[in-house]
């Protein structure tokens, strides 16, 4: 009996140490530490993309503290990544439509298909990716909708090509929980070739 208790205590102790070490070694990137202003005016794309690129190989957590982070399209790749939008944090799509065109600056009204655009947030080729928190991803869709509605009125059933807001592609174990996703130029969330997707 004593031997059983001793073995259990050893296993429990080992599990606790492993848990503590895992927590202690977690890599955390605060976008403000990398230069993001979160003031609703500054284009924070470079700082945010730097945070995303920093977790590409080893994983980690990217934190958006309270603030309004305006950005052009972003790309997130890798495994074991968590993006946490804290309460009061908003990741906002730029109102400059030309930033979403794959060919660079130009007239978005001349786009021939949705494939001409980059989504606001592309999540590609990874495992165990989580987008969570009490914050918001804001698509600023109102700068796109008026022209799209006008085109629809001219040609019944027609819709102007526009970017989607969030497009995860080839992600296994994708969790999107807690956040608010709103005002996409077109579709809000388009998982593509993903497995084990949890949306709450």
């Amino acid at each position: 009996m004593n031997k059983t208790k001793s073995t259990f205590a050893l296993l429990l102790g080992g599990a606790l140490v492993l848990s503590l070490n895992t927590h202690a070694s977690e890599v955390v990137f605060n976008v403000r530490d990398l230069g993001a202003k979160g003031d609703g005016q500054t284009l924070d794309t470079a700082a945010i993309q730097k945070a995303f690129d920093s977790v590409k190989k080893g994983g980690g957590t990217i934190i958006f503290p309270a603030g309004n982070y305006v950005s052009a399209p972003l790309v997130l790749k890798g495994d074991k990544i968590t993006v946490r939008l804290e309460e009061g944090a908003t990741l906002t799509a730029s109102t400059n439509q030309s930033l979403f065109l794959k060919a660079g600056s130009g007239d978005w009204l001349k786009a021939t298909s949705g494939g001409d655009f980059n989504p606001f947030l592309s999540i590609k080729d990874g495992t165990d990716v989580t987008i969570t928190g009490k914050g918001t991803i804001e698509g600023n869709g109102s700068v796109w909708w008026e022209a799209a509605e006008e085109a629809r009125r001219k040609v019944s059933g027609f819709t102007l090509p526009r970017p989607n807001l969030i497009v995860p592609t080839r992600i296994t174990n994708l969790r999107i929980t807690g956040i608010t996703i709103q005002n996409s130029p077109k579709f809000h969330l388009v998982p593509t070739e993903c497995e084990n997707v949890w949306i709450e």
Side-chain angles (χ1 to χ4, degrees), residues 27 52 87 112 116:
V27 180
F52 284 4
E87 188 170 7
T112 57
D116 293 337

Side-chain angles (χ1 to χ4, degrees), residues 60-121:
T61 298
I62 300 159
I63 294 177
F64 288 79
N68 185 0
Y69 303 88
V70 180
S71 180
L74 299 158
V75 180
L76 179 65
K77 293 184 177 181
D79 304 322
K80 295 180 171 51
I81 296 172
T82 297
V83 176
R84 179 173 293 111
L85 295 161
E86 295 184 344
E87 188 170 7
T90 302
L91 177 57
T92 301
S94 169
T95 56
N96 184 347
Q97 291 110 326
S98 66
L99 294 176
F100 290 79
L101 288 166
K102 289 181 178 178
S105 61
D107 184 357
W108 76 276
L109 294 171
K110 294 179 181 178
T112 57
S113 75
D116 293 337
F117 296 95
N118 292 304
F120 178 51
L121 177 57

Side-chain angles (χ1 to χ4, degrees), residues 136-195:
T136 299
I137 297 180
E138 166 62 54
N140 262 330
S142 59
V143 300
W144 305 82
W145 297 337
E146 185 176 346
E149 178 61 16
E150 183 179 343
R152 187 194 65 78
R153 288 190 184 126
K154 291 178 180 177
V155 181
S156 179
F158 172 76
T159 181
L160 283 177
R162 286 160 284 152
N164 296 315
L165 194 60
I166 305 171
V167 180
T169 305
R170 295 178 298 276
I171 303 297
T172 300
N173 302 332
L174 171 67
R175 294 178 62 87
I176 299 179
T177 65
I179 63 171
T180 297
I181 304 172
Q182 64 188 24
N183 298 324
S184 175
K186 194 176 181 184
F187 297 123
H188 285 78
L189 177 62
V190 187
T192 305
E193 299 179 51
C194 295
E195 296 182 19

